[in-house]
């Protein structure tokens, strides 16, 4: 053909005996023996494997000196029929350039060969598959194959995940983890595949096997059996975080005492929760943190937003597998934990939980920093309140009961940074009630007084403490004492109620006097400005006050009231304006003692309250 003729073409129609994937080759005779190298031009090859779809390879050179079989591409081809055969068309390229002395442009093809692909080789641990499995797509191209930059031979890949890296390139990245690589490749056991190339992570990877990983919040969370980065500069205990923003490795606390087998996003705990399972029983605290190691039954939850371990669901047994639905756009993501266990619950918490307005429930403290049983194995929380100095400060939760904390505090603690910590020492008796008026905290419970053998003076918890939250100091008030023991060991404070818009605090329980002199049986008032105790008007109380609350400016008191031969009453009110006790309408129908009173916080039930108690005859609630 002359140099100006560009519509010249060679078309071949090979016979394809059966459908499948084929590598297509084109035999180009050498130009040296025929002395045609100066006239050889570039060619375009067009492949048609069905009547609609075409594949092309453009600007292929034909200036090979010797005979050469040129690889075109791998295609899917249906079996030939009487009506159709695949076609291969070779055209002169519009950009064909030849020697100016040449009289013609030449394109030469000896044959076209289709080689059936029975299996894809050179996979080395990874097979790539197109997620579009439509029949039309399968006709167009190979939907599976290896990476263009493959791992070295004998590679084993256990995990693969992808995410949008937050580094300077900010592109979608495939991460591979397993047992592969070495000094020649520059990566060990984990690598990223981007721009069609395998690229090492910082520190060249991990020193040990990677079993599982997940990408979340611009970071890669990895689990396996490794003890640090491959360059030995960062210690890691079988779990790690790789932050793509600063391209650095970080430990998750101190790691685990055994290998991790599964890492998944755990959607039931929110969008920032990662679950780990494996053959481990301990979550080590970070070196130098002062925290305690955590006991784990092979399941752990990491909160990526706080970089702390989360409270777990309650599982009686050993989980071996965890699965979670990773699709963020689904309305109801699911999670599955499997293993040898006999009972489960949505949450495991020691002593305290938070109930939200939508009915949800969650733990308050970080794992390992929760309330713990005391020396006698008791873990009871009886009372608690949120305290804030003013509207500009963050509320602090204070609870009381029978327990101890990680720092050794007993029975009274405050929650700070997810950890229960000491508020006030020396509380060796059970706390039953907590309340506050302004910056004063009132703590009541069961007294535990003993005579110090060295000083020969009474010491211990007297049943009531007033604590100034601003000054961090105990306020001295006269002690409440029992009728039979001047050292106060028989005192029990069941309830502390604060009268609104006054300086009055009402204390109820089991006691007889204030300071051993002022008769004040079962219920007494304290003026917090004067630190002065005062009794209420004489009542018919014959036993301890079990609970109290203010409603409609009246003090509702639960206890045992006996007035001569009249029926026993378990509930009465006290009017401070006229200093008078009155019966509660309908209380005569109560079957037994009242143990608990609580407000009915509804707009349509102002002044109403719930009553809980036991039957006098059977003792049942």
């Amino acid at each position: 053909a002359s140099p100006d003729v560009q519509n010249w073409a060679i078309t071949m129609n090979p016979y394809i005996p059966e459908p499948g994937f084929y590598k297509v080759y084109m035999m180009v005779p050498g130009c040296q023996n025929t002395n045609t190298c100066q006239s050889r031009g570039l060619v375009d090859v067009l492949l048609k494997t069905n009547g609609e779809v075409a594949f092309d390879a453009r600007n292929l050179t034909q200036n090979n000196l010797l005979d050469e079989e040129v690889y075109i591409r791998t295609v899917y081809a249906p079996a030939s029929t009487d009506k159709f055969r695949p076609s291969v068309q070779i055209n002169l390229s519009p950009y064909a350039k030849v020697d100016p002395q040449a009289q013609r442009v030449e394109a030469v093809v000896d044959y076209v060969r289709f080689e059936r692909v029975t299996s894809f080789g050179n996979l080395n641990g990874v097979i790539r598959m197109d997620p579009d499995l439509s029949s039309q797509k399968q006709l167009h191209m190979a939907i599976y194959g290896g990476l263009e930059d493959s791992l070295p031979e004998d590679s084993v890949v256990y995990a693969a995940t992808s995410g949008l890296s937050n580094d300077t390139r900010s592109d979608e990245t495939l991460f591979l983890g397993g047992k592969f690589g070495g000094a020649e490749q520059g990566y060990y056991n984990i690598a990223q595949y981007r721009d069609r190339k395998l690229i090492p992570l910082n520190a060249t990877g991990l020193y040990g096997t990677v079993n599982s990983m997940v990408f979340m919040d611009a970071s890669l969370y990895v689990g396996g059996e490794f003890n640090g980065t491959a360059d030995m500069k960062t210690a890691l205990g079988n779990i790690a975080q790789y932050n793509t923003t600063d391209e650095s490795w970080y430990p998750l606390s101190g790691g685990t005492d055994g290998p991790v087998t599964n890492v998944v996003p755990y959607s039931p705990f929110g969008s920032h929760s990662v679950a780990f399972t494996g053959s481990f029983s301990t979550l080590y605290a970070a070196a130098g943190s002062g925290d305690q190691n955590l006991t784990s039954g092979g399941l752990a939850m990491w909160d990526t937003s706080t970089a702390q371990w989360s409270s777990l669901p309650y599982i009686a047994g050993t989980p071996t597998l965890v699965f979670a639905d990773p699709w963020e756009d689904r309305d109801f993501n699911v999670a599955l934990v499997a293993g040898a266990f006999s009972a489960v619950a949505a949450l495991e918490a020691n002593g305290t939980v938070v109930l939200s307005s939508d009915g949800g429930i969650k733990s308050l403290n970080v794992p390992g920093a929760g309330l713990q049983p005391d020396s006698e194995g008791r873990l009871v929380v009886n009372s608690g309140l949120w305290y804030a100095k003013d509207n500009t400060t963050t509320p602090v939760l204070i609870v009381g009961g029978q327990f101890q904390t990680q720092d050794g505090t007993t029975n009274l603690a405050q929650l700070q940074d997810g950890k229960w910590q000491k508020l006030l020492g020396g509380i060796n008796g059970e706390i039953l009630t907590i309340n506050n008026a302004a910056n004063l905290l009132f703590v009541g419970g069961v007294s535990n007084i003993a005579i110090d053998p060295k000083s020969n003076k009474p010491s211990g918890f007297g049943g009531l403490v007033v604590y100034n939250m601003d000054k961090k100091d105990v306020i001295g008030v006269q002690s409440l004492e029992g009728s039979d023991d001047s050292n106060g060991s028989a005192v029990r404070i069941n309830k502390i109620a604060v009268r609104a818009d006054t300086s009055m605090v009402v204390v109820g329980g089991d006691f007889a006097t204030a300071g051993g002199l002022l008769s004040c049986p079962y219920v007494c008032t304290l003026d917090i400005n004067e630190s002065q105790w005062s009794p209420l008007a004489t009542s018919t109380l014959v036993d301890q006050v079990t609970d109290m609350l203010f409603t409609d400016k009246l003090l509702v008191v639960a206890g045992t009231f006996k007035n001569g031969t009249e029926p026993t009453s378990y509930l009465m009110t006290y009017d401070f304006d006229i200093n008078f006790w009155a019966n509660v309408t309908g209380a005569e129908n109560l079957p037994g003692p009242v143990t608990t009173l609580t407000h009915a916080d509804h707009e349509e039930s102002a002044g109403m309250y719930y009553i809980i108690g036991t039957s006098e005859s059977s003792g049942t609630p």
Side-chain angles (χ1 to χ4, degrees):
S2 69
D4 298 328
V5 177
Q6 301 297 333
N7 58 357
W8 170 90
I10 299 174
T11 301
M12 297 182 178
N13 299 98
Y15 176 79
I16 306 299
E18 58 184 25
F21 290 101
Y22 291 85
K23 291 182 179 179
V24 181
Y25 297 90
M26 176 178 66
M27 170 55 76
V28 180
C31 64
Q32 187 176 35
N33 292 336
T34 58
N35 197 26
T36 57
C37 295
Q38 292 182 340
S39 59
R40 293 283 181 95
L42 301 176
V43 297
D44 296 338
V45 178
L46 182 67
L47 296 168
K48 290 186 178 181
T49 55
N50 59 50
E52 300 177 358
V53 181
F55 303 94
D56 58 354
R58 297 185 178 276
N59 300 323
L60 299 180
T61 182
Q62 292 204 322
N63 291 100
N64 46 291
L65 298 178
L66 303 176
D67 294 354
E68 182 178 346
E69 197 172 54
V70 179
Y71 170 73
I72 306 300
R73 68 173 301 154
T74 299
V75 298
Y76 179 85
S80 299
T81 66
D82 296 338
K83 297 182 179 180
F84 178 78
R85 286 189 179 186
S87 66
V88 181
Q89 182 175 305
I90 299 93
N91 301 289
L92 282 172
S93 170
Y95 303 100
K97 301 294 183 181
V98 296
D99 191 299
Q101 298 180 358
Q103 299 299 313
R104 61 179 183 174
V105 177
E106 182 175 287
V108 179
V109 178
D110 192 353
Y111 61 80
V112 172
R113 181 170 66 89
F114 279 57
E115 179 184 310
R116 177 69 185 274
V117 178
T118 56
S119 65
F120 283 90
N122 198 34
L123 296 178
N124 295 332
V126 182
I127 184 170
R128 171 191 51 80
M129 188 169 186
D130 194 306
D132 186 352
L133 301 180
S134 65
S135 58
Q136 187 68 16
K137 187 66 173 288
Q138 294 187 52
L139 289 176
H140 294 179
M141 61 183 295
I143 60 172
Y144 53 86
L147 299 178
E148 294 191 33
D149 183 9
S150 63
L151 295 169
E153 292 185 5
D154 301 323
S155 295
V156 180
V157 176
Y158 294 120
T161 190
S162 63
L164 186 63
S165 292
N166 200 29
D167 55 17
T168 55
R169 286 162 288 187
S170 298
D171 57 357
E172 189 78 15
T173 303
L174 172 67
F175 297 93
L176 302 174
K179 192 173 183 179
F180 54 76
E184 182 179 349
Q185 290 77 27
Y187 51 77
Y188 292 84
N189 305 313
I190 190 168
Q192 56 184 326
Y193 183 77
R194 59 201 301 177
D195 300 327
R196 301 182 180 183
K197 293 181 180 180
L198 285 166
I199 303 172
L201 299 183
N202 191 22
T204 69
L206 297 171
Y207 190 72
T209 303
V210 173
N211 292 328
S212 185
M213 54 189 178
V214 66
F215 192 89
M216 181 181 290
D217 298 334
S219 285
L220 188 67
Y221 293 89
V222 184
E225 195 168 2
F226 49 83
N227 58 16
T229 54
D231 62 1
M232 299 296 190
K233 293 183 178 180
T234 303
L236 304 167
N238 303 314
I239 50 176
Q241 173 193 2
Y242 183 78
N243 189 314
T244 63
T245 302
D246 59 10
E247 300 184 77
S248 298
W249 288 99
Y250 295 95
L252 303 188
S253 292
T256 67
D257 64 343
V260 173
T261 54
N262 296 96
V263 184
V264 300
Y266 195 75
S267 53
F269 274 32
S271 59
H272 301 287
S273 185
V274 178
F276 298 84
T277 56
S279 300
F280 56 86
S281 59
T282 302
L283 303 176
Y284 291 125
S289 66
D291 294 336
Q292 292 183 337
N293 297 336
L294 307 180
T295 300
S296 173
L299 174 64
M301 300 284 182
W302 182 261
D303 189 327
T304 64
S305 61
T306 62
Q308 291 180 326
W309 293 113
S310 301
S311 295
L312 295 172
Y314 170 74
I315 298 177
T318 303
T320 56
L321 173 67
V322 60
F323 166 81
D325 188 342
W327 297 101
E328 297 179 356
D329 57 348
R330 293 189 179 177
D331 294 332
F332 301 100
N333 290 349
V334 297
L336 171 69
V337 179
F341 44 83
S342 57
V344 296
L347 181 71
E348 180 179 5
N350 292 334
T352 55
V353 294
V354 169
L355 300 176
S356 61
S357 58
D358 60 1
I361 182 172
K362 67 177 183 179
S363 177
L364 284 165
N365 50 267
V366 298
L371 302 177
Q372 303 169 2
D374 64 11
S375 59
E376 297 183 16
R378 299 168 298 190
L379 175 52
V380 180
V381 175
N382 296 315
S383 183
L385 61 78
W386 293 95
Y387 173 82
K389 181 177 180 179
D390 50 49
N391 293 333
T392 64
T393 58
T394 302
V396 175
L397 179 62
I398 302 171
V399 298
Q402 281 184 299
F403 53 78
Q404 67 181 13
T405 63
Q406 184 177 335
D407 62 5
T409 298
T410 58
N411 303 334
L412 181 69
Q414 61 181 336
L415 185 68
Q416 291 186 328
D417 300 323
K419 299 179 181 179
W420 290 106
Q421 301 178 15
K422 178 180 177 180
L423 174 65
L424 176 64
I427 306 297
N428 61 345
E430 181 180 4
I431 301 302
L432 301 174
T433 180
I434 303 175
N435 209 336
N436 78 289
N439 64 336
L440 297 182
L441 184 72
F442 298 86
V443 180
V446 180
S447 64
N448 188 4
I449 298 293
I451 301 298
D452 189 327
K454 294 183 179 180
S455 64
N456 202 31
K457 295 181 180 180
S459 64
F461 178 52
L464 178 68
V465 171
V466 183
Y467 183 72
N468 189 310
M469 294 291 289
D470 291 342
K471 296 181 179 181
K472 310 299 182 185
D473 193 16
V474 174
I475 305 297
V477 297
Q478 286 183 313
S479 62
L480 296 172
E481 298 179 2
S483 58
D484 299 326
D485 196 338
S486 60
N487 66 20
S489 61
V491 172
R492 179 185 178 97
I493 307 300
N494 291 323
K495 186 68 174 186
I496 299 172
V498 178
R499 187 183 179 195
D501 303 322
T502 72
S503 59
M504 179 186 294
V505 173
V506 187
V507 179
D510 189 3
F511 49 85
T513 67
L517 298 175
L518 178 66
S519 177
C520 207
Y522 307 123
V523 60
C524 208
T525 65
L526 176 67
D527 188 312
I528 60 178
N529 291 333
E530 304 295 334
S531 296
Q532 181 67 47
W533 290 104
S534 299
L536 300 184
T538 302
S539 71
T540 57
L541 274 166
V542 296
D543 202 352
Q544 63 180 305
V545 169
T546 55
D547 204 355
M548 301 181 298
L549 59 77
F550 278 100
T551 178
D552 291 337
K553 297 184 179 181
L554 298 177
L555 177 68
V556 183
V557 180
T560 302
F561 298 84
K562 284 185 177 292
N563 187 9
T565 60
E566 295 182 9
T568 301
S569 177
Y570 300 106
L571 201 63
M572 294 193 75
T573 61
Y574 188 82
D575 190 331
F576 284 93
D577 292 337
I578 59 176
N579 294 321
F580 182 76
W581 289 94
N583 292 319
V584 175
T585 303
E588 66 275 7
N589 298 320
L590 292 174
V594 175
T595 57
T596 305
L597 300 172
T598 185
H599 289 281
D601 293 328
H602 302 289
E603 294 180 359
E604 299 178 358
S605 58
M608 296 180 63
Y609 49 89
Y610 295 110
I611 303 171
I612 302 172
T614 59
S615 169
E616 184 179 20
S617 59
S618 65
T620 58

